[in-house]
């Protein structure tokens, strides 16, 4: 049933994007990077869910919009001013989506004869939808807009200007991601946890994400859009992400927060050109924290230039991308105590002299800024862009 819904939402989203933009996100990738395979992590982030569908309906420019596809027909009617609100009908057996804001009962989706139903709840009662294993939920609320629930707020360990918090030092699994370059050899053991994803938020097409405010000035409107209470944990998480994106980078760092795949592609190509590879950490299966051993086959990625994009905590996919000329990237094969094989991406920073002296890496490794190269592994949903 879940897979059926995924296919339906994918189809609907692509149809709606086509009606409002020249290219879908995937088509844009192919036009800009025709010789660059799209990594699995990016494909996964293009899969829309109920969240994306609701946003499409809410941010369509026209009061009415229709798309007709094939003989069976796809009809999208997003007329907010008409009784019954949004409806989508597909083929004879049909997919019917009724997001009528004026009707009690909220959003519903019906699929074919066998039927797949999604009910986003009656006004005031809301509904929760769990996404992935990263602790993300979508709350449809009385306005039908989602709310993000994620990990505890705090500075990202992958941003150079922030000091570590006490929580990070004692409870954050990311402390194990840092190591010294001299230790990157066969036989080195590390306790690691490669989670499948930091959160389940997916990309929105640029045509949609550009309509949504993403700034401190627009913060009150953002909270209102997503029905988030100002003093809630969700609000604090969103505020932290926006703040990190607005802060200037350290000397020698060029940074940009990408709110869509298209904008990530644009930033990366502007720094490195169009002959690019996009790579990420790959793990055969998700496991709990365990001991991993570096095995034979460590490979340095060609060149010393890269753009590294870190997935942030936000209701939809936002990536903190930065480029420096003082990094080296490696692909490091690892074998877990349970036999799990991983190909982990490691980034080594050769100049840390401008980092915050209380950054998590220095406190974990017991070294000082600018003394030795500092390395860290990347989670599975972070992306490294390198020229070829």
């Amino acid at each position: 049933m879940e897979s059926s819904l995924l296919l339906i939402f994918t189809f609907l989203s692509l149809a709606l994007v086509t009606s409002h933009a020249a290219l879908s996100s995937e088509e844009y990738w192919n036009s800009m990077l025709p010789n660059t395979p799209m990594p699995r992590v990016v494909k996964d982030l293009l899969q829309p869910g109920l969240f994306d569908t609701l946003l499409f309906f809410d941010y369509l420019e026209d009061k009415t919009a229709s798309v007709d596809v094939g003989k069976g027909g796809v009809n999208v009617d997003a007329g907010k001013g008409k009784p019954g609100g949004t409806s989508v009908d597909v083929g004879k057996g049909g997919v019917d989506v009724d997001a009528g804001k004026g009707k009690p009962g909220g959003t519903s989706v019906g699929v074919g004869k066998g039927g797949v139903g999604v009910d986003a709840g009656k006004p005031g009662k809301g509904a929760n939808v769990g996404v992935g294993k990263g602790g993300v939920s979508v709350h449809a609320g009385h306005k039908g807009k989602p709310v993000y629930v994620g990990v505890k707020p705090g500075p990202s360990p992958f941003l150079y200007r922030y000091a570590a918090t006490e929580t990070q030092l004692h409870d954050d699994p990311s402390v194990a991601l840092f190591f010294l370059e001299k230790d990157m050899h066969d036989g080195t053991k590390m306790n690691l946890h490669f989670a499948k994803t930091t959160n389940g938020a997916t990309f929105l097409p640029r045509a949609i994400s550009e309509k949504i405010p993403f700034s401190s000035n627009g913060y009150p409107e953002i909270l209102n859009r997503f029905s988030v209470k100002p003093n809630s944990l969700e609000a604090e998480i969103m505020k932290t992400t926006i703040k990190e994106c607005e802060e200037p980078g350290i000397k020698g760092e060029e940074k940009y927060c990408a709110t869509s795949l298209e904008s990530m592609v644009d930033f990366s190509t502007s720094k490195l050109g169009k002959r690019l590879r996009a790579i990420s950490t790959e793990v055969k299966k998700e496991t709990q924290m365990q001991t991993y051993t570096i095995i034979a086959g460590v490979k340095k990625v060609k060149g010393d230039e890269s753009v590294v994009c870190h997935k942030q905590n936000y209701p939809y996919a936002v990536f903190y991308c930065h480029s420096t000329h003082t990094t080296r990237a490696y692909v490091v094969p690892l074998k877990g105590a349970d036999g799990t094989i991983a190909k982990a991406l490691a980034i080594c920073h050769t100049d840390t002299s401008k980092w915050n002296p209380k950054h998590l890496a220095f406190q974990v490794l017991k070294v000082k800024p600018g003394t030795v190269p500092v390395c860290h592994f990347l989670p599975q949903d972070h992306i490294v862009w390198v020229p070829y």
Side-chain angles (χ1 to χ4, degrees), residues 299-310:
K299 293 182 180 179
K300 182 180 180 297
V301 177
K302 181 180 178 182
D304 293 328
E305 288 186 291
S306 63
V307 170
V308 183
C309 294
H310 306 284

Side-chain angles (χ1 to χ4, degrees), residues 237-250:
I237 290 170
M238 295 167 70
K239 186 176 183 179
T240 297
T241 293
I242 293 171
K243 177 185 176 183
E244 291 177 347
C245 286
E246 291 181 334
E247 290 277 3
I250 64 172

Side-chain angles (χ1 to χ4, degrees), residues 159-193:
L159 309 188
Y160 313 142
R161 63 182 303 115
Y162 295 105
T165 64
E166 286 299 316
T167 299
Q168 284 181 312
L169 285 171
H170 299 292
D171 301 327
D172 192 341
S174 63
V175 300
L177 296 176
F178 291 97
F179 60 96
L180 298 176
E181 190 174 33
K182 68 180 182 65
D183 295 326
M184 190 164 39
H185 56 75
D186 299 9
T188 297
K189 296 182 183 295
M190 303 179 185
N191 291 323
L192 300 169
H193 177 212

Side-chain angles (χ1 to χ4, degrees), residues 29 36-39 42 276-280 383-386:
W29 174 291
T36 303
M38 182 180 286
V42 175
L276 293 179
R277 283 198 299 152
I279 51 180
S280 59
I383 301 165
V384 177
W385 300 80
V386 292

Side-chain angles (χ1 to χ4, degrees), residues 160-342:
Y160 313 142
R161 63 182 303 115
Y162 295 105
T165 64
E166 286 299 316
T167 299
Q168 284 181 312
L169 285 171
H170 299 292
D171 301 327
D172 192 341
S174 63
V175 300
L177 296 176
F178 291 97
F179 60 96
L180 298 176
E181 190 174 33
K182 68 180 182 65
D183 295 326
M184 190 164 39
H185 56 75
D186 299 9
T188 297
K189 296 182 183 295
M190 303 179 185
N191 291 323
L192 300 169
H193 177 212
F194 291 106
K196 185 176 182 181
T197 177
T198 52
N199 65 60
T202 55
F203 277 120
L204 292 179
R206 178 156 55 185
I208 302 300
S209 67
E210 287 182 341
K211 299 178 187 295
I212 306 173
F214 187 79
S215 68
S216 295
N217 290 337
Y219 184 62
E221 182 182 349
I222 295 169
L223 297 184
N224 182 60
R225 286 283 187 180
F226 295 115
S227 301
V228 177
K229 295 180 180 180
N231 296 321
S232 65
L233 175 62
E234 296 95 320
E236 189 177 350
I237 290 170
M238 295 167 70
K239 186 176 183 179
T240 297
T241 293
I242 293 171
K243 177 185 176 183
E244 291 177 347
C245 286
E246 291 181 334
E247 290 277 3
I250 64 172
K251 186 177 180 180
E253 176 192 22
E254 297 180 84
K255 54 170 284 193
Y256 173 75
C257 276
T259 59
S260 66
L261 177 59
E262 294 93 324
S263 59
M264 186 197 296
V265 169
D266 286 351
F267 178 75
S268 301
T269 55
S270 72
K271 301 304 174 188
L272 303 173
K274 293 186 177 182
R275 292 174 57 83
L276 293 179
R277 283 198 299 152
I279 51 180
S280 59
T281 292
E282 299 176 4
V283 184
K284 292 295 184 182
K285 63 178 181 178
E286 185 170 1
T287 64
Q288 298 301 313
M289 177 79 76
Q290 65 171 315
T291 300
Y292 281 89
T293 303
I294 297 179
I295 57 179
V298 175
K299 293 182 180 179
K300 182 180 180 297
V301 177
K302 181 180 178 182
D304 293 328
E305 288 186 291
S306 63
V307 170
V308 183
C309 294
H310 306 284
K311 193 160 188 269
Q312 301 299 98
N313 291 318
Y314 211 68
Y316 53 92
V318 171
F319 279 80
Y320 180 108
C321 298
H322 51 171
S323 171
T324 69
H325 302 288
T326 58
T327 58
R328 291 190 281 263
Y330 295 86
V331 177
V332 182
L334 298 162
K335 185 174 183 178
D338 68 350
T340 298
I341 299 296

